Amino acid sequence: MSLNAMEAGANPAVSHDEEKALVSKVAWRLMPLIMVCYLFAFFDRINISFAKFQLQADLSLSDTAYGLGAGLFVVGYVIFEVPSNMMLYKVGARRWIARIMMSWGLATALMVFVNSEWQFYVLRFVIGAMEAGFAPGVLYYLTLWFPQHYRGRITSMLFLASAFAGLVGAPFSGLVLEHLDGVMDMRGWHWLFLLGGVPCIGLGLLVLTLLKDRIEDAHWLTPSEKTLLSSRIAQHEPNKSHGSLLAALKIPGFLTLGLIYFLIQVASYGLNFWAPQLIRSAGTESPVMIGLLTAIPYICGAISMVVIGRLSDATGERRKFVAGLVALGALGFFSAGIFASHTTFLIVALGLLGAGIIASIPSFWTLPPKLLAGAGAGAAGGIAVINTLGQFGGIVSPVMVGRIKDMTGSTTPALYVIGVCALIAVALLMWGLPQKLRTLDKA
């Protein structure tokens, strides 16, 4: 978790190496636990795609019904996200993130009791409601601990956990579905949700015990380190206040960022919820092999987000990197549609998708803090609103793909529609954002 030295306009009395060492110390202290939490959060979000085949067979679900159930997770998430993040600001990130972890872990584990379509719908909604606010809450929490010119790689570290969730979770899911099916009279998909949910309860207790809400509370930092870190963060928030959410909403470019993130999430959920189905439709039947092949886009995404995170911090460029990654994802969707029946070429297309769309998400999240710096409570709520607008993509995408597949018998037309959505996001990134988001993030 080493960090490269930055061109950080440091105090003459403090060397770049000292600042780098301090940020590394903070990263080593906070990021391992946060990354593990995010790994489980993302796995609990995508495990429905691996459980799809057994779940559909047991509950007699159509592709449209499956897509609706997958999307209802996001409905619950969207409804409760902004209130959740405003509560996080009031009670402290440590307590609220711990509450989120434990409640969504319990709700996920309760999937073992689902035996009808309506129960599937209800519990998916509840899981989304319980997880609401986690991702934007963590993103806001990181802005309290890391200077702006380090956030590209720190955000990439966080979202690297989502890539590992796919990388490890895909083959793990295949093994669970194949080898635990029938153990203790439980179906494989029951085990999948149980093993994804129960550990989150323990992780919530660790968050409550190990994380701190403020730099001033960190007993593992010396007084001089606390002063230096606080000054570096404040350097980019000279007008910090307890701004309101309404004020944040009025900032030029705010709603455009929300629209861009919506389009990116349409693409992201298209990959997360339907990649196993695409691979199976191309001719692969084994759950283990489907899991292994599904891991490939996440491997590509992990490599891409690490490389781009470092390049983005080194150059200070944010917007163009996001646009380039989303354009690569669009190419992947069009290629997946063209080669839908050829497994080898389809996997290459999914690799492009992973390298582009998966890596674009952490790169995108370097933009909102630039717009909301100094907004106080408005920053917490504003990040949640942008994430909420984006999560509507998680409602639209699975239902749209499922409906198109039921109507046409193929997912190919939906892949082209998602590719067009990605290109619209590229156009907005390049020509639709205000000057504040076009400046470089050099210290």
Side-chain angles (χ1 to χ4, degrees):
M1 205 171 292
S2 62
L3 296 165
N4 290 340
M6 302 301 301
E7 293 300 322
N11 186 313
V14 180
S15 71
H16 292 186
D17 287 342
E18 288 174 312
E19 182 181 351
K20 172 188 169 184
L22 174 57
V23 173
S24 293
K25 180 178 179 179
V26 174
W28 274 109
R29 182 76 188 199
L30 301 181
M31 294 308 296
L33 177 57
I34 291 175
M35 289 174 68
V36 171
C37 290
Y38 199 83
L39 184 151
F40 272 91
F42 195 79
F43 177 71
D44 284 348
R45 184 172 296 186
I46 66 172
N47 56 11
I48 189 74
S49 67
F50 303 116
K52 177 179 185 291
F53 309 122
Q54 287 188 7
L55 184 72
Q56 277 189 285
D58 289 354
L59 302 183
S60 301
L61 301 176
S62 67
D63 282 312
T64 300
Y66 163 78
L68 176 59
L72 280 171
F73 166 92
V74 187
V75 174
Y77 195 102
V78 164
I79 290 174
F80 291 98
E81 180 162 38
V82 174
S84 177
N85 258 59
M86 299 307 290
M87 185 63 69
L88 175 143
Y89 187 82
K90 291 180 179 179
V91 307
R94 175 177 60 90
R95 294 183 183 90
W96 199 247
I97 290 174
R99 192 283 304 164
I100 291 173
M101 292 289 301
M102 290 186 281
S103 60
W104 110 57
L106 178 61
T108 299
L110 290 176
M111 281 289 292
V112 301
F113 298 108
V114 169
N115 54 29
S116 67
E117 184 174 329
W118 73 266
Q119 290 175 347
F120 172 57
Y121 291 152
V122 170
L123 200 50
R124 286 293 296 172
F125 176 86
V126 170
I127 293 171
M130 293 300 100
E131 190 187 329
F134 175 76
V138 170
L139 288 164
Y140 171 71
Y141 182 72
L142 295 181
T143 67
L144 305 178
W145 287 89
F146 294 98
Q148 181 174 302
H149 47 286
Y150 288 97
R151 289 177 191 163
R153 73 198 71 186
I154 292 299
T155 307
S156 293
M157 284 181 189
L158 172 65
F159 284 94
L160 189 61
S162 66
F164 275 111
L167 172 61
V168 178
F172 170 77
S173 298
L175 291 169
V176 168
L177 292 169
E178 188 164 299
H179 296 293
L180 291 186
D181 191 27
V183 174
M184 297 177 62
D185 294 324
M186 291 170 57
R187 293 284 277 148
W189 65 272
H190 289 151
W191 282 107
L192 195 60
F193 288 111
L194 190 65
L195 294 174
V198 171
C200 296
I201 300 172
L203 286 170
L205 294 173
L206 287 177
V207 167
L208 200 59
T209 304
L210 299 178
L211 293 188
K212 301 296 181 185
D213 287 314
R214 304 179 305 162
I215 293 172
E216 293 79 5
D217 298 330
H219 61 83
W220 40 272
L221 291 176
T222 67
S224 60
E225 288 174 333
K226 293 177 183 179
T227 300
L228 174 59
L229 188 60
S230 297
S231 67
R232 288 295 180 268
I233 293 171
Q235 187 175 15
H236 295 280
E237 299 184 359
N239 301 313
K240 189 168 183 179
S241 65
H242 297 283
S244 67
L245 175 59
L246 181 60
L249 291 173
K250 295 178 180 178
I251 298 174
F254 181 90
L255 294 178
T256 305
L257 282 180
L259 175 57
I260 291 169
Y261 197 51
F262 166 81
L263 295 168
I264 291 174
Q265 286 297 321
V266 167
S268 176
Y269 278 91
L271 170 64
N272 295 334
F273 284 165
W274 292 97
Q277 175 69 59
L278 292 173
I279 294 169
R280 191 184 195 203
S281 298
T284 302
E285 295 292 337
S286 166
V288 174
M289 185 55 65
I290 290 173
L292 290 171
L293 293 177
T294 303
I296 291 176
Y298 296 98
I299 295 173
C300 296
I303 295 170
S304 179
M305 70 172 63
V306 170
V307 172
I308 297 301
R310 290 184 177 276
L311 288 175
S312 179
D313 276 351
T315 62
E317 179 60 67
R318 308 298 190 189
R319 178 179 56 92
K320 291 179 181 178
F321 277 113
V322 182
L325 290 169
V326 177
L328 181 62
L331 176 61
F333 273 107
F334 289 124
S335 300
I338 294 170
F339 300 112
S341 59
H342 301 82
T343 301
T344 301
F345 292 126
L346 174 64
I347 297 304
V348 172
L350 291 177
L352 293 177
L353 265 175
I357 296 302
I358 293 175
S360 71
I361 294 174
S363 296
F364 170 85
W365 279 112
T366 61
L367 295 174
K370 289 165 62 73
L371 205 62
L372 298 169
I383 289 174
V385 169
I386 290 173
N387 194 57
T388 298
L389 294 172
Q391 292 308 316
F392 277 108
I395 301 172
V396 171
S397 187
V399 176
M400 177 191 71
V401 177
R403 184 60 178 163
I404 290 175
K405 187 174 186 297
D406 279 341
M407 291 175 61
T408 66
S410 171
T411 54
T412 299
L415 297 176
Y416 295 146
V417 172
I418 295 174
V420 171
C421 289
L423 291 180
I424 295 172
V426 172
L428 290 172
L429 283 160
M430 293 303 298
W431 299 292
L433 294 177
Q435 183 60 36
K436 189 173 183 179
L437 292 173
R438 296 169 177 266
T439 58
L440 302 184
D441 272 353
K442 289 189 176 181

